[in-house]
Amino acid sequence: MKKIIILALILLLCVLFSINVYAGNQLKLFYNNKFINLSQEIIVRGNEYFVNAKELTAVIGTSCKIDMSKKELTIKTADSTLHYDIKTYDYTIVDASSISHNFPELINQTVYLPFTFISEFYNVNIKYDKKANLLYFFPKDSKIESFANSKYYYTLKIPENLYLSLDESYDNFDVSSISIVNEDNTFSASIICDPVTKTTIKNMRFLLSDYDSPDNYIFDRIIEYKQSYFRSLMESYKNEFLFGNSDKLLSESNIKIIRDYSEKLYGQNSNIILFNTISSNKFINTEDTNLIITIPSYENETIYSLSFSMPKGTLDSRNISNIMQIIEGLTIDNLENQEKIPEVLYDRDSIEASNRGIYPNPAAHEKEYKLLEDTLNFYNIKYPSHYIPYLQNNFIDNHSYRSFKINHTTSFSVTVEHLVGTPDKIMNKINFLKSYYGSKIFVKNIKDENINGNSFTVFEYELENNYTKEFITNYYISNGIRVYTIQLKSLMSKPSEDVLTEFRKIVASFEFTTQQSQKEINRTISFVKFFNERNGYSIFYPDNWSIQDSSQDINYDLIEITNPNFSGPLSIIINESEYTAKLTATELLRYLTGYDSSLGKYFKNYITPYTNKTYKLLNSSIVTNNDVTIIYKLVNYIDDGDRYKMCYSIDLVKNNKINSLFISASEYLFQDGVLADRDLNYILEFMTKSFQIEEKEDDQINIAAVEEKNEKIVFIENSLKKVFGDPTTISFAKNLESEKDVLVYVSNTPRSGAYRIYFDYNHKAIQVVSRVLTSDIEKSAKEKMMDLLKDKYIHDLSINSYDMTITVKYSETSYSSPEIKTYYILCTPSKKGYTIDFVRKLDIQSVKEICKTFLDNQYLTDVQINLPKNYSYSNENGNKYFYEKRIIPIYAEFDGQSGHFYLEIDPVTDSVKILEYISSTELKEKIEEHYYLMDPTSKVESFQPAKLDNFSFDVTVTSQTDNMLKEVIYMYYDKELVFLSKDPYFSGILVQK
């Protein structure tokens, strides 16, 4: 419902500013610096425009004579008399776009001059605004000295060194937005006009539900709405800044407002914004300085915007002069002339700030410093004031992260963690990082260093990822249970000496502080305990908050804890998931932090608030407590509404089960990086500390845990047992259209079959909506299969009612080789009846046959296929339901060609499609791109399949930085092709159930 309201609002706003204000305007021609009214309209044939010949020649000072007997047009000018044949075409037969239109034409018994002819004959550059019905003839061989806009009531004297920007087409011209540039296009100016008509005001009244205020008041609200566009632009830039550097090219954008104020210009209260924008990636860095002046005119029913843009560092006397000449040369009807220079253009601080740019050169000016004080974690630290606040996540006190951007590729951060246990906490962190990154980490130095009386452990290392190299220096120091990490991170290349020197000053400024008095917290808050008996975890939450299961998958829990006062900005969920292999603590952390997606094949239902969204992991840590592994994460992300969110999570891992607490909060709940509501902070702290696995004796384990069934399914099963008897079991369960709409297969009872149930677990309500008995399912399934294969010869057909599958053996004819296929029977009851669907039952043999048959038919030849050497179908797909799609990696050879396919098999439709194909030639290009993105100086000298595996390669690479590198890389598909340093198909040990 919320999305529908937002969409409706957007549509209404589009209507507000998209009114056709041009309807009924008489055609006007601008020629020789004046407007001329034309009574005859322009006509169009194909891509060509035509003007009435007699009227045009008369108004621009020439004359023409038309002799229809000779089909000849004569034009007299001051210097010559020229004769032209009049062409005639039947445009019902002839394609107008295929004709050059270099001659006058007879159309509907009237002679017209095509734009092409006019442009050549009169030596003019023609521009036509179809909406405004304005036609411009600009001189080709001389500079355009002025521009007049009769639609928006202004004229502009164009400065001597600037030029009106015109493209090649006749009709791609819009008088509501014109641009002026200098000779080398390093300076540009635009005049943009937004019309505000009576209809626009009427539409705004509707949006505001304000039908009483005067029109000028509504006009002011429209101005505010227009200015909100800029705030939306800032939000967009902010997200691109915070979550940039995430793609192959390390793309990032940012915006910095230098000054935003109001000033009277042209006699109107105008808004002036001076700002810089920057777009960066690995190979280019473009920064511009921009000035936007918004001038409203109620009398002219128009909002004028003057926009100026130039490269960073060039807001100098020359370009300030250009801006002033345009402002002084602009005359707007009904407004005062502007002769005074806008204040921002003689504001030295603003001009210097814009010329320094978003990421100033630290050596080019005197630095000022800011003090970062963290009263919750008892430290402060100084940093240069031009460093830009970056990613922050501090709302749970025992984990804190603050970072600042130094330039496009470099940042520094301060992380605080509460670590209880052995005194060698810092070395444990270092060893954890080495284990986490494995072969991708290159340790440069580990040492102790005393700075300003503080004893730090320094850890310098380099990382390789799929897109770039990272150069990292960590300074560790501890104080009680707190471990502080001051980190400098640089992408692509080592940080400069200037950056390193400044970073050492930052570290030297670090000091511990003492606890200060804080706002009194409401200690009367009462908590209640929620205990999940099956999974063994508990959590306390305020007694006036609510808790419910909101899972869309009946096989797993998704517990939601809510408070109506924070329903929008705060989200608290506990998600249940599991994994199916014996994994180390490091492997667990690699997947749960998103570092190694190839391990996803072992995990079921690990769903986070940031799944399939843009996010960044800020920090993670892992603790082992007896047989429980605890993983903490700080993650920032963009939600479905493009809102910036901060997330704190705890994963409790035991016996291959994962129960995860996710607390997400919107940015506006914070002030100076911490939650503004200290009571809320206290509540969240209490909840996170109470989230734990409770120890219990073996004889306390309930039947649901023994049977590995979710307690919701057990509840349904027990309810049915009361009706059908104790032997009754549920063999399959699935949500249909909502969490309360459930399909279950009931077994071990005379009334076994498929049941559709209304199920409200939170209120313990259950009701059978409809059902189909097993005997009816079997009969219908056989009939449907017989009908599907009515053109085939069926050798055998059988049904296994225990696992609800149907197996059919058939062939094209009675004497041809038969095929055997097995399908799951998916029966979905409804109030009006039921449907039967077949879902292909897949195993490694059937998958090979499916892939080969598909490729044989695709290329009409015999295709030889191979899977990766260590590929295991059961491992790769053990986390999927039988009706989910599978991705199969295939190496194929056919007709002297070879390549790698990633095929998607859909068992529901029993179909295959190609997700990606990489030929042998493209493979070399992909490998070269992989190394080029990490180091542009790299060159792939050779590569070949490694150890009889066509999905791994022995590669030799040379570069200016690493000289020669020999390594094995592995090809893998994760929404796109990537190359990994370890085998993603390594067969882990599956947990037997």
Side-chain angles (χ1 to χ4, degrees):
M1 183 65 187
K2 184 176 180 181
K3 287 186 176 180
I4 294 173
I5 293 171
I6 292 173
L7 180 59
L9 178 60
I10 291 172
L11 291 174
L12 286 170
L13 293 175
C14 290
V15 170
L16 176 68
F17 285 100
S18 61
I19 302 300
N20 183 5
V21 298
Y22 307 108
N25 287 350
Q26 182 181 7
L27 176 64
K28 290 185 179 182
L29 168 66
F30 183 76
Y31 180 68
N32 278 344
N33 292 322
K34 63 180 181 180
F35 279 104
I36 305 166
N37 290 328
L38 298 180
S39 62
Q40 302 298 310
E41 291 298 319
I42 291 172
I43 65 172
V44 185
R45 293 295 183 271
N47 297 325
E48 186 67 29
Y49 295 84
F50 298 82
V51 184
N52 184 283
K54 279 189 174 181
E55 182 175 32
L56 178 66
T57 54
V59 299
I60 64 176
T62 58
S63 65
C64 75
K65 179 181 179 182
I66 299 173
D67 187 341
M68 293 305 299
S69 62
K70 296 181 180 180
K71 285 195 174 182
E72 182 182 80
L73 180 144
T74 303
I75 301 180
K76 291 183 179 181
T77 67
D79 302 326
S80 61
T81 300
L82 299 172
H83 305 277
Y84 294 93
D85 291 338
I86 299 173
K87 302 291 184 181
T88 304
Y89 302 100
D90 185 351
Y91 284 119
T92 63
I93 301 173
V94 178
D95 181 4
S97 61
S98 65
I99 301 171
S100 59
H101 301 289
N102 292 322
F103 290 89
E105 294 186 23
L106 181 65
I107 303 174
N108 296 332
Q109 305 305 313
T110 302
V111 178
Y112 288 88
L113 301 182
F115 276 10
T116 303
F117 175 86
I118 298 169
S119 178
E120 293 177 2
F121 184 86
Y122 290 103
N123 198 28
V124 291
N125 194 340
I126 300 176
K127 297 300 165 190
Y128 176 44
D129 184 335
K130 292 181 288 186
K131 290 182 179 179
N133 213 14
L134 292 176
L135 181 63
Y136 287 82
F137 286 179
F138 296 117
K140 277 186 179 180
D141 297 336
S142 61
K143 183 179 179 299
I144 301 170
E145 301 293 343
S146 66
F147 175 80
N149 191 331
S150 63
K151 182 66 208 171
Y152 294 106
Y153 313 109
Y154 76 79
T155 58
L156 174 68
K157 181 181 178 182
I158 300 174
E160 183 179 351
N161 60 323
L162 300 179
Y163 306 87
L164 186 64
S165 178
L166 302 172
D167 63 15
E168 296 297 323
S169 65
Y170 295 133
D171 58 356
N172 189 24
F173 188 68
D174 185 355
V175 295
S176 68
S177 177
I178 63 112
S179 296
I180 302 139
V181 297
N182 64 356
E183 195 165 2
D184 59 3
N185 285 298
T186 57
F187 173 88
S188 66
S190 298
I191 302 176
I192 302 167
C193 304
D194 291 308
V196 182
T197 65
K198 295 186 183 301
T199 306
T200 312
I201 289 177
K202 180 180 177 181
N203 289 338
M204 180 57 87
R205 288 186 183 280
F206 172 76
L207 291 177
L208 298 175
S209 297
D210 184 346
Y211 301 97
D212 300 321
S213 299
D215 283 356
N216 58 355
Y217 174 84
I218 302 298
F219 182 82
D220 290 340
R221 303 293 75 74
I222 294 174
I223 295 170
E224 292 172 358
Y225 168 75
K226 176 177 170 58
Q227 291 170 347
S228 72
Y229 280 144
F230 191 80
R231 291 192 291 272
S232 299
L233 174 68
M234 288 183 61
E235 285 299 313
S236 175
Y237 267 103
K238 176 183 174 182
N239 289 344
E240 291 179 17
F241 166 64
L242 293 174
F243 296 94
N245 289 344
S246 300
D247 60 0
K248 289 182 178 180
L249 294 178
L250 302 185
S251 304
E252 179 188 275
S253 299
N254 198 6
I255 187 170
K256 181 180 181 180
I257 307 300
I258 309 296
R259 190 168 178 196
D260 184 352
Y261 74 105
S262 294
E263 181 179 356
K264 206 150 202 176
L265 299 177
Y266 299 92
Q268 306 295 306
N269 189 26
S270 304
N271 179 244
I272 297 94
I273 305 175
L274 177 65
F275 62 99
N276 280 23
T277 57
I278 188 170
S279 295
S280 307
N281 61 36
K282 283 184 176 181
F283 308 108
I284 60 170
N285 189 331
T286 304
E287 183 170 355
D288 293 319
T289 293
N290 305 272
L291 176 66
I292 295 179
I293 302 174
T294 303
I295 308 149
S297 174
Y298 178 66
E299 294 81 358
N300 293 346
E301 298 184 337
T302 302
I303 301 172
Y304 299 91
S305 297
L306 309 185
S307 176
F308 306 92
S309 181
M310 65 215 76
K312 181 204 80 173
T314 63
L315 186 56
D316 49 23
S317 58
R318 179 172 58 97
N319 279 332
I320 290 175
S321 174
N322 288 337
I323 295 171
M324 274 312 304
Q325 288 183 71
I326 291 172
I327 291 174
E328 291 171 352
L330 177 64
T331 301
I332 303 174
D333 294 355
N334 303 313
L335 300 187
E336 299 174 7
N337 290 338
Q338 182 64 32
E339 297 177 355
K340 180 183 175 184
I341 183 171
E343 180 189 334
V344 70
L345 294 180
Y346 57 81
D347 178 355
R348 179 178 298 179
D349 291 340
S350 296
I351 292 172
E352 289 180 353
S354 67
N355 286 330
R356 286 196 300 267
I358 293 175
Y359 299 120
N361 179 357
H365 64 281
E366 185 176 345
K367 290 183 285 294
E368 296 180 357
Y369 291 85
K370 288 186 176 180
L371 181 67
L372 170 63
E373 296 183 272
D374 189 334
T375 57
L376 297 177
N377 287 292
F378 314 134
Y379 77 89
N380 61 43
I381 194 169
K382 293 179 182 178
Y383 65 94
S385 59
H386 64 267
Y387 285 10
I388 303 174
Y390 193 35
L391 297 161
Q392 299 190 37
N393 191 320
N394 313 285
F395 67 99
I396 302 299
D397 294 349
N398 60 358
H399 283 78
S400 170
Y401 180 91
R402 299 172 185 263
S403 65
F404 300 84
K405 209 68 183 288
I406 301 172
N407 55 47
H408 167 223
T409 58
T410 310
S411 62
F412 98 87
S413 62
V414 182
T415 306
V416 185
E417 301 167 84
H418 292 199
L419 300 180
V420 181
T422 58
D424 54 351
K425 294 188 283 284
I426 290 175
M427 283 310 302
N428 286 344
K429 280 190 65 65
I430 292 173
N431 291 331
F432 154 73
L433 287 173
K434 291 194 287 187
S435 174
Y436 180 82
Y437 291 112
S439 62
K440 290 295 186 179
I441 189 170
F442 303 92
V443 177
K444 310 301 287 186
N445 193 13
I446 301 176
K447 63 179 181 179
D448 293 327
E449 188 173 340
N450 190 286
I451 305 176
N452 274 2
N454 289 323
S455 296
F456 292 95
T457 299
V458 186
F459 181 35
E460 296 179 56
Y461 58 100
E462 297 176 7
L463 290 177
E464 284 188 358
N465 60 39
N466 289 330
Y467 305 142
T468 188
K469 285 187 176 181
E470 299 179 13
F471 300 84
I472 300 172
T473 301
N474 289 344
Y475 279 77
Y476 298 104
I477 189 170
S478 63
N479 185 19
I481 63 171
R482 291 179 175 83
V483 174
Y484 303 79
T485 306
I486 309 172
Q487 181 183 88
L488 177 68
K489 178 190 288 188
S490 183
L491 306 180
M492 296 195 297
S493 60
K494 296 179 180 179
S496 66
E497 278 303 318
D498 286 338
V499 170
L500 285 171
T501 299
E502 196 59 58
F503 179 62
R504 293 188 187 100
K505 292 180 181 178
I506 292 171
V507 174
S509 73
F510 179 87
E511 61 182 10
F512 295 115
T513 59
T514 57
Q515 185 170 3
Q516 300 176 5
S517 60
Q518 298 182 5
K519 178 184 174 182
E520 186 64 28
I521 297 171
N522 181 9
R523 301 292 180 179
T524 62
I525 297 172
S526 178
F527 292 85
V528 294
K529 179 180 179 180
F530 171 77
F531 176 58
N532 186 303
E533 185 178 1
R534 173 174 170 267
N535 291 323
Y537 72 82
S538 63
I539 189 170
F540 284 82
Y541 65 95
D543 60 2
N544 60 342
W545 291 25
S546 61
I547 188 167
Q548 65 179 11
D549 189 326
S550 302
S551 176
Q552 298 294 313
D553 187 340
I554 194 169
N555 298 284
Y556 298 96
D557 292 340
L558 181 67
I559 306 300
E560 189 173 12
I561 303 173
T562 57
N563 178 342
N565 296 329
F566 298 102
S567 59
L570 183 67
S571 168
I572 303 174
I573 60 174
I574 302 173
N575 183 72
E576 175 195 359
S577 58
E578 61 184 325
Y579 58 100
T580 58
K582 292 182 179 179
L583 302 177
T584 65
T586 300
E587 287 172 324
L588 274 171
L589 187 64
R590 282 177 176 169
Y591 176 73
L592 298 183
T593 56
Y595 183 70
D596 188 351
S597 61
S598 70
L599 292 169
K601 57 198 171 192
Y602 301 124
F603 290 80
K604 292 183 178 180
N605 202 57
Y606 188 76
I607 300 172
T608 73
Y610 45 87
T611 297
N612 297 324
K613 299 179 179 67
T614 301
Y615 75 93
K616 280 191 176 180
L617 174 73
L618 309 184
N619 191 49
S620 64
S621 60
I622 186 167
V623 176
T624 301
N625 185 5
N626 296 325
D627 58 348
V628 179
T629 299
I630 307 172
I631 294 173
Y632 300 92
K633 299 192 297 290
L634 298 180
V635 176
N636 288 11
Y637 67 97
I638 301 295
D639 71 4
D640 289 330
D642 288 333
R643 290 163 298 206
Y644 181 40
K645 292 288 184 72
M646 286 162 271
C647 179
Y648 172 86
S649 75
I650 304 174
D651 298 308
L652 301 179
V653 185
K654 182 179 181 180
N655 296 332
N656 289 79
K657 293 284 187 181
I658 308 171
N659 293 286
S660 306
L661 171 66
F662 297 100
I663 303 177
S664 299
S666 295
E667 183 184 24
Y668 66 82
L669 289 180
F670 295 79
Q671 184 176 356
D672 297 327
V674 298
L675 279 170
D677 189 326
R678 298 307 298 158
D679 285 346
L680 178 60
N681 180 262
Y682 169 73
I683 290 170
L684 298 181
E685 289 279 347
F686 195 97
M687 293 177 67
T688 57
K689 290 175 181 176
S690 72
F691 184 59
Q692 61 181 342
I693 296 288
E694 294 196 1
E695 297 297 329
K696 56 186 177 181
E697 301 297 330
D698 290 343
D699 58 2
Q700 291 181 295
I701 300 176
N702 64 23
I703 188 170
V706 172
E707 295 182 359
E708 293 296 330
K709 290 181 180 178
N710 187 281
E711 55 192 14
K712 292 175 287 190
I713 297 176
V714 172
F715 180 85
I716 296 174
E717 192 172 76
N718 289 337
S719 299
L720 295 176
K721 282 181 179 182
K722 294 176 183 178
V723 180
F724 299 148
D726 286 342
T728 304
T729 60
I730 290 178
S731 58
F732 171 72
K734 179 180 185 290
N735 286 96
L736 294 174
E737 296 179 2
S738 71
E739 72 273 12
K740 296 179 180 179
D741 185 14
V742 181
L743 170 67
V744 295
Y745 284 179
V746 179
S747 304
N748 296 335
T749 171
R751 284 174 281 185
S752 65
Y755 285 70
R756 189 165 189 162
I757 294 173
Y758 170 82
F759 178 50
D760 184 348
Y761 180 65
N762 296 304
H763 295 91
K764 301 297 185 288
I766 182 171
Q767 179 183 351
V768 176
V769 176
S770 57
R771 72 176 184 181
V772 184
L773 296 180
T774 300
S775 58
D776 294 326
I777 295 174
E778 292 180 358
K779 180 182 177 182
S780 296
K782 284 183 178 180
E783 291 175 353
K784 182 170 183 176
M785 184 60 74
M786 295 284 286
D787 184 63
L788 290 172
L789 300 176
K790 61 186 177 184
D791 297 328
K792 313 294 182 184
Y793 183 83
I794 298 177
H795 299 265
D796 186 41
L797 191 152
S798 61
I799 290 181
N800 184 333
S801 58
Y802 176 76
D803 61 3
M804 206 61 91
T805 58
I806 183 169
T807 301
V808 59
K809 182 179 180 180
Y810 70 95
S811 59
E812 294 294 327
T813 64
S814 59
Y815 50 82
S816 58
S817 298
E819 291 184 64
I820 300 176
K821 292 183 178 180
T822 300
Y823 297 87
Y824 292 100
I825 302 170
L826 192 60
C827 177
T828 307
S830 68
K831 291 181 178 180
K832 296 182 180 180
Y834 61 93
T835 60
I836 297 289
D837 295 296
F838 297 126
V839 180
R840 185 74 181 271
K841 186 176 182 179
L842 300 174
D843 56 26
I844 184 59
Q845 188 58 40
S846 62
V847 164
K848 286 181 178 179
E849 292 172 359
I850 291 169
C851 292
K852 178 169 171 51
T853 301
F854 171 78
L855 292 175
D856 284 351
N857 294 331
Q858 183 81 10
Y859 294 98
L860 301 177
T861 188
D862 181 28
V863 179
Q864 301 301 311
I865 67 170
N866 288 289
L867 295 166
K869 180 181 178 181
N870 290 317
Y871 181 86
S872 166
Y873 177 79
S874 57
N875 273 14
E876 294 298 316
N877 299 285
N879 65 338
K880 292 183 173 64
Y881 292 114
F882 66 83
Y883 45 81
E884 290 187 285
K885 297 174 182 178
R886 277 95 164 121
I887 297 176
I888 312 298
I890 295 290
Y891 173 75
E893 295 179 344
F894 54 97
D895 291 343
Q897 303 177 58
S898 64
H900 295 78
F901 290 87
Y902 289 92
L903 304 180
E904 181 183 78
I905 297 180
D906 186 346
V908 175
T909 60
D910 200 9
S911 61
V912 183
K913 76 174 183 179
I914 299 173
L915 294 178
E916 184 104 15
Y917 170 65
I918 306 97
S919 68
S920 299
T921 303
E922 290 172 324
L923 177 61
K924 183 176 186 296
E925 295 172 355
K926 296 284 187 182
I927 292 176
E928 288 175 340
E929 180 190 39
H930 168 72
Y931 285 100
Y932 176 77
L933 288 172
M934 286 194 293
D935 183 352
T937 69
S938 65
K939 179 182 179 183
V940 177
E941 301 292 345
S942 65
F943 76 95
Q944 59 185 0
K947 301 176 183 178
L948 303 177
D949 181 9
N950 287 303
F951 285 81
S952 63
F953 308 94
D954 287 316
V955 183
T956 301
V957 181
T958 57
S959 69
Q960 295 177 5
T961 54
D962 291 329
N963 297 322
M964 181 174 288
L965 171 68
K966 292 185 177 182
E967 65 175 348
V968 178
I969 58 173
Y970 299 85
M971 182 188 295
Y972 187 65
Y973 185 83
D974 181 20
K975 299 179 182 177
E976 64 177 353
L977 191 69
V978 295
F979 293 96
L980 307 176
S981 61
K982 71 177 187 65
D983 190 349
Y985 301 112
F986 173 74
S987 299
I989 303 173
L990 293 181
V991 177
Q992 300 297 320
K993 293 189 177 182

